[in-house]
Amino acid sequence: MRGSPDRGDPGIYVHVPFCRRICPYCDFAVTPRGRRGSERTARYRTALLAEIALRAAPLGADTVYFGGGTPSLLPPDAVRELVASLVAAGLAAPAPFVILEANPEDLVRDEGLARAWAAAGVSGVSLGAQSLDRDRLRFLGRLHSPDDVRRAAAMLLDAGIPWRSMDLIYGDAAQSSAALEAELEAAAGLSGLTHLSVYELTIEAGTPFGRRAAAGERLISAETAALFRSVHETLAGVGFVAYEASSFARSKRDRSPHNPKYWTGAAYLGLGPSAHSFDPDRRARSWNHRTIAPWRDAVLRGELPVEGAEVLTARERALETVFLGLRTVAGLDLDAFAAAWGDAVVAANRDRFRRWEASGLVRTGGGRLAPTLDGLAVGDALAREVDLGLVADERAAAA
Amino acid sequence: MKKGRAAVPGSRVRNFCIIAHVDHGKSTLADRLIQRCGGVSDREFRDQLLDSMDLERERGITIKSNTVSLFHIGPDGETYQLNLIDTPGHVDFSHEVRRSLMSCEGALLLVDAAQGVEAQTVANYFVAMEYDLEVVPVINKVDLPAADPERVMEEIDDELGLDPFSSILASAKTGLGVEEVIGAVVERIPPPSGEEEAPLRALIFDAQYDAFRGVVLLLRIVDGSMRRGDRVRLMRGERDYQVEEVGRLGLRREPVDRLGAGSVGYAICGIRRIREIAIGDTVIAGGDSAAEPLPGYREARPVVFSSVYPMSTDDYGVLEKALGKLALNDPALTYERESSTALGFGFRCGFLGLLHLDVVQERLQREHGLSLLLSAPSVRYHVSTKVGEVHSIENPAHYPDPAQILGAEEPFIRATILIPDRSVGPVMELLAERRVAKTGMNYLSSRRVEIHAELPLAEVLFDFHDRLKTVTHGYGSYDYELLDYRATKLVKVDILVNGDRVDALSQLVHETKARPRALAYCERLSEAIPMHNFKIAVQGAIGGKIIARTNIRALRKDVTAKCYGGDITRKRKLLEKQKEGKRRMKQVGNVQIPQSAFVAVLKSSPGA
Ligand SMILES: Nc1nc2c(ncn2[C@@H]2O[C@H](COP(=O)(O)OP(=O)(O)OP(=O)(O)O)[C@@H](O)[C@H]2O)c(=O)[nH]1
Ligand code: SF4
Ligand SMILES: [Mg+2]
C-alpha cells in the first residue's frame, strides 16, 4: 500500500468524535463531549494509541488529518503524542503534514492554543467558521460569533501556521445571493486565509434539520445552481480559485495537501470511530465501528475495530474514479482511466463526452475530461451517465 | 343438458328493445321487467342486471346490447315470450342500437321526465322509424321532484311527432307503470311475421365468445327454424357449419330444441374464431343457394385511432394477447402492431369513439393488469400524393413527405344538437371554434332549438361534449353521424427534444390548431422532463419549421457538497441506484424522458 506518482502518497485520517454541542445539520459520528470531557478525551486518546499499535505497518503517509467532530478539543500534547506514535509505527513518514480542524470558539478561549499547535507540529488548521453572519450562525446552531471567526483567523496567522483554511456553509432558504456574495468576500478578506472549503447546506435524515424538512419546512434555497455558480465566481473574483467542487485555494501551493488524496485514489488509513480506510492495490475499503464504545472495546481487546469492509469490483471502482474525478477541476485522467479499465470503455463514451463538450459541460484535451463550472455543478449527474458496462463487475473474493 | 320450456308460437312472441338517450333509465327499466316476469330470483337480483361487465356496472353505463327472454301470462291466459334487448345510450355505441332495432318489431322509447327529449332520443327514434318499428313512448323517472311529464309530453309531440297520449308514465325506480309497459308490449308491438315453413333465414345481430364453446351467435330467426344438428351456412363467410346447440337467452344461456320463426336466441356452431363471422350476416340452411340475404348492417368501423404501448416493454406479449381476447367480443376494435423509438413495441388501435377507447383501455388495465400509455387519438385522413395515390392515414408515422402531398381530406360529421333557445349564441360560438362548415337551425318548440352542424369529426372527439354541457348549463345534448370526407389543411406536428423527434408525440392536426397544440405539448413535456445537466429545448415543429418552443433550464446543482474518505462508498452506492433508475427511462437523443413525462403529456386532453 505504497504511494504512487499518479495517485499521491498515502494519507492518514484521525477521527475525533467529540463536540461541545451537536449542530442541527450534522450527521457525522459525533457525541457531545459532556461534563467529564477531559476524562473522555483521555480514554479516547488511549484507545487511539492502541489502534495505532494494532495497525502498525510501513505505510509512510505524508499527511495526517485530524477531523471530526472537533479536534480542537484535543490538547496539543495529545496531538503531538499521536503524530509521534503514527511515525513510530511506520504509518506516517517522518515529519508529516499535520492538519487539524478547529472551532473558532476553542481558539478564542485560549490565547496560546494556536501557538501550542504549531509547536506540536501542526502545519494546517481548518477553521469551522461556517458563516460570518450572526443570524445564520444561530440558525446553524453554532457557538461562536462572527467576531470569534475573525480573531481565530488572525491567531492562526500570528502563530505561523502555514496552511490556513476555513469552512463555510451556504444555501439555506433565507440566504440571498447578495448576502452570500457579501459573506464570501468578507471571508476572503480575513487575514491570512490561504484556503476555503465552501459547502452547500445538505439536509441529512435523522438530524434535527432532517426532521424539520420532513415536516415540510423549507430549509434549502431553491436556487442552489445559481448559488453554486455565484460561490465560484465571487471567490474567483477575490483570488480564490476552485480546484474541486467545494475547495478553493489562493494558489496551487495552497491546495489541501490531504483532501485530494480521496479524489485521486490514493491510499488512506482511517483511525478512530467511523473512519474509513482504502487500499487501492486491493480495491479494498473498510470502516471502523461508528460509535466510540464498540470501537474502543475492539482495540482494547487487541482486535481491529472494523465494522465493515468491501472489495470493490472493477466497475465499482471505475465509477468511483469517474465521480470523484469529475468533482475536480483537473477532471478525469482519461489516459489513466483507459490504462486501468480498457480503451474500449473510454471509446464507448466518446460520443457522450463530445456532447458534453458541445453543451459546455467539459473540456477535453490533454488526455483529460475536465469539467467546466457548469459541469462541476452537475458532476454527479455526469457520472451517472457514463457507460461502464464494459468494465467487469465480478466481485473478487475478499483477501 | 336441461330440457327447455315448451316453444311459444310465433304469434305470442314479442321482440322489442329499449332505446333512449344516455342515462334515461333503460337498464333500470329492464331490471323491473325481468323481475316482474320472474326472470330472476331475489337472491340473484342486482341493479342493472343486464350490465354484466364490471366496467358497465362500475360506470353505470351500458356498453353492449344485452338480450333476455322473458315469459308473461297475457290477459288471454296464454304465455307470451318477450325478447327484450337493452341497448346502450352513448353515441359511440349507436351501432349496437341499430343492430338491436333491426331484430325487433317494436321499441320502448324512454324519455327522462326531468331531462326531456335529448339528442339520442331523437336519433334513436329516427332509426326505429327507419326500420318501421312500433314505438311506445315511456316517460320515465316520474318520481323525480324535477319531473315535468306535461312538458315532456309536449316535446314528444313537437319534437318526435308522436302521439303524446300514447305514452306511459313510469318510474323504473319505484316500479310505477311497469305493468302498463308490459301490457303495451303485448298489445301494441306486433308479433314477428316470419314464415315458419319457409327456408331458414336468420340475422346475426350480435356474437359472443365463449372460451369453451367458441363463437356464440345471437340470432333473430326471420324465416324457418333452426335446431340442433342442422347444417347451416353463413352467407358472407360461404361456409357451412353444424349446429351444436340452440337456445334462449335467459340470464344464462338456456338450450332449447329449436328456435322458430320470429324468435330471438343463440346458436353454437363450432365456430372457433370471431373473425370468421360478420355481424349482420344471414344464416341460411346448408346447401341453400337460392336464398336472398337479409338486409344487413353497416358494419361499425373504427373512427378514432390511438397507439397503445405497455409501460413495461416486457408486457408487449400480454398486451397482444389481451387485445386479441377483447377483439373476440368486440369486432369494432382493431389493432395492428407498431413500434416507437421512444416507447418500444405497441399497437395502433382503432375505436368507435373516445368512450370506446376509454372502455378498452380500462378493460386492458383492469382485466389484464396492464399499465398502458396511449398516444393522442387521431381520426383517419385521406392524403393524396403527387403520384396519384390516395392513402388512408390515421397514424402520424405514416404521413408522407409533405413535399409529395397534393392534398388531404378529413372526415366530417353531421351533428344534431338539441338546446334551449337561449343557448344558441354560445353554442354557435363553440361551433365556430370547432371549424364548423355549415349550420342550420329549427325551433322544435317555442323554447327548444335543434341545430344541425357539419363539422370535422376531429373537432368533437375531445372535449366537445363537456364544453357543450358547460355552455348550455347542462341542457344541451348532441348526436352525430359520419357524413363524408372533405378537403382540409392538414399538418403533422412533431415534438422535438433538443432537436430529436419524439415519435410517440407526433400528431396530425388542422393547420390552425397546430401552434396551440404544439405549445401545450411543449409546456407539459418541459414540466415533466426532470433535470438534466444541460439546457433542453422542447420544440414543436412542422417539418423544419419551429412553431413552438419551451426551454428546460439547465439542471439544479447535482454534485455532493462534501466527498471525503468516509463518504465515497455511500455516494457510490447511491449513484449506482440512480444509474439503475436511469436505465428505465426512455432515451431521446441525449435526453432521458421518464415514462411519467409521456403519461403527463398524453393523459391530459389535448387542450387545443
Ligand atoms: N329517480 C329515478 N331514477 C331512475 C329511474 N330510472 C333510472 N334511474 C336512475 O338513472 C340512472 C341511469 O339509469 P340506467 O338504467 O343505468 O340508464 P341507461 O339508460 O341504461 O343508461 P346508459 O345505458 O348508460 O345509456 C341510474 O342512476 C338509475 O338509478 C327512475 O325511474 N327514477
Ligand atoms: S462542530 Fe462540526 S462535527 Fe461537531 S456537531 Fe457541529 S458540524 Fe458536527
Ligand atoms: Mg343502460
Side-chain angles (χ1 to χ4, degrees), chain A residues 105-128:
Chain A
E105 69 270 17
D106 292 326
L107 281 157
V108 296
R109 256 164 216 246
D110 180 352
E111 286 283 343
L113 191 59
R115 280 174 199 288
W117 284 338
V122 171
S123 321
V125 170
S126 171
L127 209 53

Side-chain angles (χ1 to χ4, degrees), chain A residues 227-237 242 244-245 248 373 376:
Chain A
L227 293 180
F228 181 85
R229 174 170 277 280
S230 162
V231 166
H232 281 254
E233 286 170 351
T234 309
L235 287 179
E244 189 253 359
F248 304 81
L373 178 50
L376 216 49

Side-chain angles (χ1 to χ4, degrees), chain B residues 536-606:
Chain B
I536 300 170
V538 180
Q539 295 164 312
I542 299 174
K545 195 170 129 229
I546 303 299
I547 55 166
R549 178 189 176 107
T550 55
N551 286 321
I552 303 173
R553 277 199 306 161
L555 263 197
R556 311 195 271 279
K557 182 171 163 292
D558 187 0
V559 63
T560 332
K562 257 187 199 180
C563 199
Y564 300 124
D567 307 310
I568 298 173
T569 294
R570 183 164 79 136
K571 183 72 204 169
R572 187 197 72 238
K573 291 193 168 149
L574 183 65
L575 286 174
E576 281 165 352
K577 226 167 99 189
Q578 293 165 333
K579 261 173 112 74
E580 183 54 33
K582 272 172 75 71
R583 265 199 337 113
R584 287 199 284 266
M585 292 200 197
K586 309 290 180 184
Q587 174 101 27
V588 173
N590 58 346
V591 178
Q592 250 102 23
I593 306 184
Q595 223 146 26
S596 59
F598 286 97
V599 175
V601 175
L602 294 175
K603 279 271 158 79
S604 38
S605 73

